[in-house]
Amino acid sequence: ADFNYGADEYDAEGNEEPKALPEGSETMPYIDESPTMSPQLSARGQESGDGVSPTPTDGLGTGGERDAGKGLEMRKLVLSGFLASEEIYINQLEALLLPMKPLKATATTSQPVLTLQQIETIFYKIQDIYEIHKEFYDSLCPKVQQWDSNVTMGHLFQKLASQLGVYKAFVDNYKIALETAEKCSQSNYQFQKISEGPGPWQRAAPDASSLPTALLYKPIDRVTRSTLVLHDLLKHTPADHPDYPLLQDALRISQNFLSSINEDIDPRRTAVTTPKGETRQLVKDGFLVELSEGSRKLRHVFLFTDVLLCAKLKKTAVGKHQQYDCKWYVPLADLVFPSPEESEHCPQVHVIPDHELEDMKMKISAIKSEVQKEKANKGQSRAIERLKKKMFENEFWLLLNSPAIPFRIHNRNGKSYLFLLSSDYERSEWREAIQKLQKKDLQAFVLSSVELQVLTGSCFKLRTVHNIPVTSNKDDDESPGLYGFLHVIVHSAKGFKQSANLYCTLEVDSFGYFVSKAKTRVFRDTTEPQWNEEFEIELEGSQSLRILCYEKCYDKTKLNKDNNEIVDKIMGKGQIQLDPQAVQTKNWHMDVIEMNGIKVEFSMKFTSRDMSLKRTPSKKQTGVFGVKISVVTKRERSKVPYIVRQCIEEVEKRGIEEVGIYRISGVATDIQALKAVFDANNKDILVMLSDMDINAIAGTLKLYFRELPEPLLTDRLYPAFMEGIALSDPAAKENCMMHLLRSLPDPNLITFLFLLEHLKRVAEKEPINKMSLHNLATVFGPTLLRPSEGESKGHLTLASDIWSHDVMAQVQVLLYYLQHPPISFTELKRNTLYFSTDV
């Protein structure tokens, strides 16, 4: 039988890693005998928290897993794997010892390869360690071969742990042993031949690039491995078994040993120095997504004074001790940023469709609501933990898959690397930090394996960013951020030295990372741009607003084929905290962000989501906004309101190929101007429409539907739409959904069908405008269905809850009709008998 080995955790690359161990397998799944592990023993053995009594994890399936038979089988599997790796380890120690006798023999001759002192230093305590493990192996092997429920072996592990003093002596000598071996290898050709030739050392570690250093590291590596095995044995040993207290004791001794080793190899006290002898300081670190071999991986990137190091967070349980693996490093002296035209040959970025990202955001919001409800109802902590785990997995997926802005790093010695960021602000922060360091006199260098191990080991203690930036890592008492709509007017900017074509973008954080939400128009050839543009930005747990000021690039040679490559030059950037108290007033709040000698003036105000969701009828019944659709069509003697026909006609004429049509916000001031003109039935409407930015026209159409005093698909039928879309049987669903359409008042139905056909035509251009049926359903679903009252009443928890479940259903309703073959008004009315199911 196959067993899932270890908890269902995620590694830093977003891959689920259930470790399967088939019966009779000779090697343990985690026994990686590679020499690349860092000597910074970041107590992987401490993964069970208190380190004494690990409990069986959820990842092991049913509660029946813990029964005696299964536990016995699991212990045998763990021990068999450990024995196999122990045999490899003993062979490696033997290989290390083999050259010692001939080396000692030559030491007393007139032509010694190494002096006795050098031999003693390099091979210090290895003979003792070999004997300890040989005795342990010889005692354990027959027990595993005659395995049954009466076999005990805890005393063997306890004895092994009690002899860790020998390892302590080895570790204290380890650094000097490595240095001696490397020096002897460089200065002594015969010793180099022994190290690198096809002898026993090479056979023991065929993959190692630097012998004997790789083999010398094995004993340190081994303590960590045996600690992991103790964890696994305890996990499958009943608490009343005679082995249990002995294994616990062995684990305690091992962990204390690892902790003391860590203090001894404290990276802050280790000489982490640059080639020039200066202390190597950590300047900046953070999590970035790397595109590696065609897939996205989450990396922790460390910028030191003279080197950029890209590391992978090793797989550990959430909140436990972590360790890093170095994936690659580039000395800053060799690091260059390729220009866009040089990037053309780089791999193209596979961008995840917006609707998949939106779906995931909806799922996360829904889980957040469930967590809040569980807490409000004093729910079981296990249920809450399960929800939080699910939320972490979903947020991790979002963090990995949403970034699309390329950040390319090139090592002038050949290799290029590609990161993907969601924020140009962050990309420029990394670039500026690297360029600032490159102004110093830097030297190129190659790190030895020891230096790289020490440097990677230092990352754990030096890092400043501790958690993957997802909201599920936040403490309960941390601010949840703002949910609702932020209205921002970007007024003007001053402080530019020379005339340029200038524009601004606005970024806010949502779901733990920053994204660009709005962009002003380009103000040409000026030192004092006056934009005066208003934007409505949806906030999803946001805490900060960033403003970036760019100079537009019109140089054709620099505009490369990668859609997401931003080639415009950042003139300045700044950030402000969104203080809930200060922002949540009805009045505009004016502010200035100073950036790089430039001052950008802006105003903002915030509307909470429950306020923005209210449909308020217009007091004036002479206009079109906020007036019942039946009143407007009767007054106009039309079947579809004039505003709907005109906006759709204009979008089809010149906006159907516009990227992000209906998704990208139009300028709020333009939308308000169009609203006023339609409300006043001004004769200049057509002229104004033909001159207006197409996103403003699309925004006006959305606003019209959003401000209807009741939704287009009516309050009365809303519960039935929610029930209809939830039906499983396709025939029943078809019957119900068509019956509901037929139940709509004629003006609502005809307008809905008119809009439906238009949205289908927009989606036909998806390869160009990037707007799929799903994207359009996400934009229009809540606008056409959200009830005018009732939904925002009586909610107990976060404003984010108002959404989630209902919004997902609203999107699905519209998507159903968008994916349906063409629906004709006359056919619908004619088939009254067929669609007469009672709802």
Side-chain angles (χ1 to χ4, degrees), residues 331-351:
L332 297 191
D334 293 328
L335 189 152
V336 286
F337 299 111
S339 63
E341 54 269 27
E342 290 171 316
S343 306
E344 283 192 13
H345 309 296
C346 293
Q348 284 297 299
V349 180
H350 169 62
V351 179

Side-chain angles (χ1 to χ4, degrees), residues 84 111 180 188 277 355 365 470 474 536 541 569 616 636 639 653 772 778 810:
Q111 289 183 307
T180 308
N188 189 310
H355 70 82
S365 297
V470 291
K474 279 187 181 176
E536 181 185 80
K569 181 184 174 189
T616 44
E636 293 178 355
K639 290 183 175 177
K653 198 187 295 177
S772 63
T778 305
Q810 290 159 13

Side-chain angles (χ1 to χ4, degrees), residues 459-737:
C459 291
F460 179 75
K461 288 203 176 175
L462 295 175
R463 64 189 181 156
T464 61
V465 181
H466 292 265
N467 288 325
I468 294 170
V470 291
T471 55
S472 38
N473 276 340
K474 279 187 181 176
D475 294 332
D476 289 345
D477 55 357
E478 278 187 67
S479 163
L482 292 169
Y483 286 86
F485 294 90
L486 186 70
H487 300 264
V488 182
I489 302 175
V490 182
H491 296 295
S492 58
K494 50 180 76 133
F496 296 98
K497 304 278 191 297
Q498 57 199 58
S499 288
N501 304 310
L502 302 164
Y503 69 94
C504 285
T505 63
L506 307 178
E507 290 184 355
V508 293
D509 54 322
S510 65
F511 296 91
Y513 58 92
F514 278 85
V515 280
S516 184
K517 287 280 193 175
K519 180 178 177 179
T520 68
R521 64 184 183 277
V522 179
F523 215 98
R524 290 196 173 227
D525 203 21
T526 180
T527 55
E528 292 198 1
Q530 301 282 328
W531 294 289
N532 292 316
E533 289 183 68
E534 184 185 333
F535 301 94
E536 181 185 80
I537 295 171
E538 187 176 356
L539 303 183
E540 296 165 295
S542 310
Q543 293 177 312
S544 304
L545 169 71
R546 290 171 169 176
I547 298 186
L548 294 92
C549 195
Y550 290 89
E551 179 181 359
K552 181 73 181 164
C553 166
Y554 289 108
D555 181 348
K556 288 267 170 58
T557 61
K558 288 188 179 171
L559 300 174
N560 81 328
K561 295 178 186 121
D562 191 338
N563 287 341
N564 294 299
E565 187 74 70
I566 300 166
V567 295
D568 300 336
K569 181 184 174 189
I570 295 181
M571 304 299 283
K573 61 185 193 310
Q575 175 171 321
I576 56 155
Q577 291 302 110
L578 296 173
D579 174 20
Q581 273 67 45
V583 177
Q584 284 181 335
T585 59
K586 287 182 181 173
N587 306 325
W588 287 96
H589 166 71
M590 184 121 174
D591 211 336
V592 174
I593 280 188
E594 292 204 37
M595 43 171 95
N596 204 16
I598 299 160
K599 290 183 181 179
V600 175
E601 276 195 0
F602 66 99
S603 300
M604 58 183 180
K605 69 176 180 180
F606 173 73
T607 315
S608 66
R609 186 169 271 164
D610 49 346
M611 288 301 294
S612 65
L613 291 181
K614 284 183 179 166
R615 293 181 184 271
T616 44
S618 171
K619 292 186 176 67
K620 288 191 311 179
Q621 288 295 301
T622 52
V624 291
F625 282 82
V627 179
K628 281 188 175 178
I629 194 164
S630 56
V631 173
V632 173
T633 50
K634 193 172 179 182
R635 186 203 310 141
E636 293 178 355
R637 296 191 179 136
S638 62
K639 290 183 175 177
V640 175
Y642 180 68
I643 181 172
V644 176
R645 284 180 285 130
Q646 287 310 127
C647 289
I648 284 178
E649 189 180 311
E650 203 61 39
V651 168
E652 295 205 354
K653 198 187 295 177
R654 57 190 180 92
I656 203 153
E657 294 189 350
E658 181 80 12
V659 174
I661 187 72
Y662 290 120
R663 186 174 54 79
I664 289 174
S665 302
V667 176
T669 36
D670 290 349
I671 294 171
Q672 291 305 317
L674 279 170
K675 177 182 174 179
V677 172
F678 276 112
D679 265 344
N681 196 17
N682 192 310
K683 59 180 182 298
D684 297 331
I685 288 175
L686 293 177
V687 177
M688 197 166 169
L689 276 175
S690 60
D691 289 343
M692 192 61 79
D693 173 56
I694 200 65
N695 287 317
I697 294 169
T700 305
L701 182 65
K702 287 192 296 181
L703 185 69
Y704 168 72
F705 286 119
R706 194 169 16 163
E707 291 197 355
L708 281 173
E710 81 159 350
L712 187 65
L713 299 187
T714 72
D715 285 330
R716 182 177 65 85
L717 294 175
Y718 181 74
F721 275 114
M722 294 297 100
E723 286 170 18
I725 199 65
L727 291 171
S728 305
D729 177 53
K733 184 184 279 191
E734 163 84 2
N735 221 358
C736 178
M737 297 302 273

Side-chain angles (χ1 to χ4, degrees), residues 12-82:
E13 300 179 353
N15 306 314
E16 216 168 337
E17 284 197 347
K19 308 264 186 175
L21 181 70
E23 189 169 359
S25 160
E26 290 200 11
T27 53
M28 286 294 285
Y30 50 70
I31 302 297
D32 162 22
E33 292 299 337
S34 75
T36 55
M37 273 186 62
S38 161
Q40 170 62 15
L41 290 179
S42 196
R44 282 183 64 177
Q46 296 181 5
E47 285 180 13
S48 77
D50 62 5
V52 178
S53 53
T55 51
T57 60
D58 290 344
L60 290 165
T62 62
E65 169 105 0
R66 281 163 239 160
D67 67 36
K70 192 70 75 70
L72 190 67
E73 196 172 352
M74 285 303 293
R75 289 205 300 287
K76 184 183 180 183
L77 285 172
V78 172
L79 289 169
S80 304
F82 187 54

Side-chain angles (χ1 to χ4, degrees), residues 203-271:
R203 283 198 296 277
D207 303 327
S209 55
S210 169
L211 292 151
T213 54
L215 282 173
L216 268 178
Y217 177 60
K218 293 291 171 189
I220 294 187
D221 186 1
R222 194 65 194 163
V223 185
T224 316
R225 301 302 165 91
S226 56
T227 310
L228 280 176
V229 167
L230 284 166
H231 271 299
D232 291 323
L233 286 172
L234 273 166
K235 201 184 287 178
H236 301 292
T237 304
D240 56 0
H241 192 283
D243 275 345
Y244 195 84
L246 300 174
L247 293 171
Q248 260 189 333
D249 194 43
L251 180 62
R252 180 183 54 76
I253 296 167
S254 302
Q255 289 191 328
N256 289 341
F257 170 76
L258 284 176
S259 299
S260 70
I261 294 292
N262 268 334
E263 283 162 24
D264 292 347
I265 319 180
D266 184 339
R268 290 178 191 275
R269 278 182 263 147
T270 305

